[in-house]
Amino acid sequence: MNIVIYILLMVIALCTGCDRQPHGEYVNDVLLPMTPVKDQGQTQWCWAYAMLATIETEHILRGDSVNLSAVYAGRMLERSGAREQRAMCQTLLNIIQRDGMVGYDVLPDDATPELSTPRWVFMLGARYTPLEFAHSVCAPDEYVSLTCWPDSPYYKKVEVPVPDNWEHNRLLNVPLDTLQVCVDRALRNRHPVCWESRDHAMSIVGLAHDRQQRRYYVLKNSWGTDQPNGGLVYMPVGEMWNKMIALYMTQEAYKGLSN
């Protein structure tokens, strides 16, 4: 009888121990390297942070290292006379090609208006204009801008009818199941993907699952590190696709090439 009681007590102890384990634990199936999580503060520049995070991770995976300034992009947007802080992630790519880019170290997240926008970028003993530097970081047409609007012809460029698209950018319209394959394949081939919804934009940097084998995308957020998971977001696969408005990846990622 003592042995039976002992076994029952051990079963109760084991069950109690399982309940005490922290919930919400994830196993990363793919987690790409990234620059430190940044903080957009009170701005609405998530479109810039998300696209720059994608570019930065892409460079790390090529054996390069860049850390870029979303504040510079925000200032360029203001100088253009735009009435809104919100925009599509395509706007960041447009700014890079039109106005250039500078490093995060000279114009960080906490830059005050008194910190002037640099006229030059210094690297490896050479001096560049922000435009010259930007074109070395992101070439024209290096990224494919994708969306899914079933009411429009597929594999044609369409203007995405959302308020953030005040620039009237046109994105390649792709069937949803094809987009899903492209994103998963890109991540497994070590390419990040920039994700945009109606409310927020982040960079997809990984794939994960939990103890119930539910699948998640791992996204790098721009709300600082004082957040769960150090600023990473584990978003259920269905939620990410339900909220998706636009995606951005390199031509190589879209074609299924490995990094």
Side-chain angles (χ1 to χ4, degrees):
M1 182 64 68
N2 289 339
I3 294 176
V4 173
I5 293 173
Y6 176 77
I7 292 173
L8 288 173
L9 289 173
M10 287 298 295
V11 170
I12 293 170
L14 287 171
C15 290
T16 304
C18 290
D19 287 340
R20 287 178 178 172
Q21 290 181 6
H23 296 284
E25 291 182 351
Y26 307 98
V27 175
N28 294 322
D29 302 307
V30 175
L31 186 62
L32 304 180
M34 65 198 85
T35 53
V37 170
K38 298 183 175 70
D39 190 347
Q40 69 183 76
Q42 299 301 310
T43 73
Q44 295 182 320
W45 298 337
C46 61
W47 49 272
Y49 282 90
M51 195 68 239
L52 290 178
T54 304
I55 293 170
E56 290 163 357
T57 288
E58 188 71 38
H59 272 264
I60 292 173
L61 290 164
R62 295 174 185 173
D64 193 6
S65 178
V66 293
N67 199 6
L68 305 170
S69 173
V71 173
Y72 179 87
R75 289 187 179 183
M76 294 301 105
L77 185 72
E78 292 171 353
R79 288 186 182 181
S80 72
R83 298 179 181 178
E84 299 286 342
Q85 279 197 356
R86 294 177 60 94
M88 297 280 285
C89 295
Q90 178 68 44
T91 300
L92 186 280
L93 296 174
N94 297 342
I95 286 173
I96 280 182
Q97 299 307 321
R98 183 181 67 238
D99 304 307
M101 180 49 59
V102 302
Y104 179 83
D105 57 335
V106 296
L107 212 57
D109 291 341
D110 59 358
T112 62
E114 290 73 29
L115 184 60
S116 61
T117 303
R119 295 178 56 197
W120 305 101
V121 176
F122 296 91
M123 181 175 293
L124 302 176
R127 185 179 75 171
Y128 304 91
T129 66
L131 194 59
E132 290 170 337
F133 172 68
H135 288 177
S136 72
V137 167
C138 184
D141 300 323
E142 182 174 341
Y143 281 81
V144 183
S145 305
L146 304 165
T147 190
C148 179
W149 292 94
D151 295 336
S152 299
Y154 287 130
Y155 300 104
K156 302 287 185 181
K157 288 195 172 184
V158 299
E159 183 176 321
V160 181
V162 295
D164 289 353
N165 192 20
W166 46 263
E167 283 188 312
H168 306 289
N169 293 302
R170 297 177 65 82
L171 285 69
L172 183 63
N173 192 29
V174 178
L176 185 61
D177 57 347
T178 302
L179 275 185
Q180 293 170 334
V181 170
C182 285
V183 169
D184 287 8
R185 183 179 63 192
L187 292 167
R188 295 190 183 280
N189 284 338
R190 297 179 64 75
H191 292 282
V193 178
C194 187
W195 171 85
E196 183 168 15
S197 71
R198 292 182 184 272
D199 303 317
H200 196 42
M202 293 183 277
S203 180
I204 312 175
V205 293
L207 297 165
H209 67 274
D210 63 15
R211 287 175 291 185
Q212 286 73 44
Q213 298 303 311
R214 292 173 296 209
R215 295 180 58 239
Y216 300 82
Y217 288 104
V218 187
L219 296 96
K220 180 184 179 184
N221 206 352
S222 53
W223 293 345
T225 55
D226 190 21
Q227 301 286 332
N229 304 304
L232 297 181
V233 173
Y234 285 78
M235 185 176 293
V237 167
E239 181 180 346
M240 199 212 77
W241 287 111
N242 287 339
K243 292 183 175 180
M244 188 274 302
I245 295 295
L247 296 166
Y248 307 82
M249 63 182 74
T250 62
Q251 296 276 0
E252 289 80 5
Y254 183 62
K255 294 173 183 176
L257 304 178
S258 298
N259 226 337

